Amino acid sequence: MTLAMDERRVALKLAYDGTRFFGFQRQPGTVTVEGSLMTALAKVGAIRSPRECGYRSSSRTDRGVSALGNVVSLRTEFPLASLCSAVNSELEHLWAYSAVDAPEEFNPRAARQRWYRYYLAKSRQDRELLNELSSRFIGVHDFSGYSRKDKRNPMRKIDSIEIADAGMFYAVDFRAESFLWNMVRRIVWMVNEGSCGRIPLDAIGPSAAEKPVRVGLSPPEYLVLMDIDCGIEFEVDKRARVGMLQTLERSMRDSGMRLRFSEDLLRSLE
Amino acid sequence: MTLAMDERRVALKLAYDGTRFFGFQRQPGTVTVEGSLMTALAKVGAIRSPRECGYRSSSRTDRGVSALGNVVSLRTEFPLASLCSAVNSELEHLWAYSAVDAPEEFNPRAARQRWYRYYLAKSRQDRELLNELSSRFIGVHDFSGYSRKDKRNPMRKIDSIEIADAGMFYAVDFRAESFLWNMVRRIVWMVNEGSCGRIPLDAIGPSAAEKPVRVGLSPPEYLVLMDIDCGIEFEVDKRARVGMLQTLERSMRDSGMRLRFSEDLLRSLE
């Protein structure tokens, strides 16, 4: 493979509504985040093919999981200042909103820290218990009970778990260099069950004395990959921003209206 | 046509998410509110056919318009206490939530008052101007400038227009015995343009001195038929209510989550 004259490696920051895709990874015949991105990049002439562009991704989010700041990297000759807006014009529910130069060896997989947020619907949780149970997972642990089995090292270090009030939700923020498969959703399921009093408290924790029969999986639609620290400074693309503002205002109005409708109907049933 | 032994006339109260249907009126080959209701009624055995059940409707809402309390009437032998829950089990985005006995001559079209609410997205409106301009439409007027032309009498009486704060929206409540086609959406368009300073103020009103070139139409997705006073007491069906609560909680969580995602993404662009 030969490098073209102006071809260089770039890092792209991506946001997407995970409910609109059948997962992240390319799969023939299904609409995935990667597949849609590659099609758009090829369509605007930024890449010839996924194979030839030296594509690398950071986090392969599960089907249904959204992202505000996933990171991919590839080589392109396309002018950096118009790459995001050109690609976005070919995309729906997926936006590239920052494109920066990166060294050829840059691999977004090797991130310093990943930040996931789970929007946990408020119900009967005991808020203090939610804090206490979550804190048991912070630090270095063997998380093999909180992931599907694979060959990876099950030791992980969770830097922090923070819980904030967010209207009808608790925003549960997880920060770690890396997570095992389904790890966040399994921990959320566990602390939620525990804080609602449905599981004995001493069965909860990465190395709990008494394991419950089964660690469940909280639904993916409420999980968002917020940001990844790859050691690169991303700056918001101004042109991409303008296009996104309109789309986002529209979808906020639509979601807000759907919410109103349900609330009003609920009131009609009283 | 012969009336069966236990057949009697009932009035049904309906709620529906108008964005999920291609309008209200039955139309072969498209999913409409009436069409879906008729199919469900026939499927559970409550009617043999739409023709034979003496069906009457109150308000044929436009495509995209939702309802919390539209009213229809028909004859059925089906037990009243399980009619709503049976029908709802066959429906999505459309719910019958009250079924009561009605006299055979009952026609929901002849209503005492209809209440529509428009959720107007807040933007640059002058709130006081919004109030003042809306008040111009209250009372008896010739609304032919605010409707598509048809053979109906263009004189209408608007009992009240009330504007309340509703988060990202203004809830604009219209009450009248009846409205002309598109009348609410045209009035909303007009007072919104005026209160944003895009149309001269003396061009606004049912009998304005100077008419603007064109009275526009505000989008249908934000209009809700809230209730109709047909002179009948509706009581919420307990079984239907239980089923609806779960669905509504779920859709509130989903809308709330979509709203969060857009808000968070907007913040990422700052």
Side-chain angles (χ1 to χ4, degrees), chain A residues 1 7 9-10 38 47 49-57 72-76 104 106 108:
Chain A
M1 201 190 305
E7 200 176 80
R9 179 160 291 278
V10 300
M38 288 300 153
I47 63 169
S49 79
R51 287 199 173 193
E52 287 174 57
C53 73
Y55 172 78
R56 296 167 192 152
S57 69
V72 301
S73 164
L74 47 93
R75 281 195 308 271
T76 183
E104 177 50 35
F106 175 70

Side-chain angles (χ1 to χ4, degrees), chain B residues 2 74 84 92 94 156 179 184 204 223 238 240 261:
Chain B
T2 54
L74 47 93
C84 289
E92 255 195 314
L94 165 57
R156 286 293 181 277
F179 295 89
V184 173
I204 297 170
L223 182 59
K238 286 196 187 69
F261 174 77

Side-chain angles (χ1 to χ4, degrees), chain A residues 46 58 67 75 81 87 123 155 160 192 203 207 219-220 227 231-232 247-248 261:
Chain A
S58 177
R75 281 195 308 271
V87 169
S123 61
M155 298 300 291
S160 66
N192 184 47
S207 47
D227 211 354
I232 274 192
T247 311
L248 288 175
F261 175 76

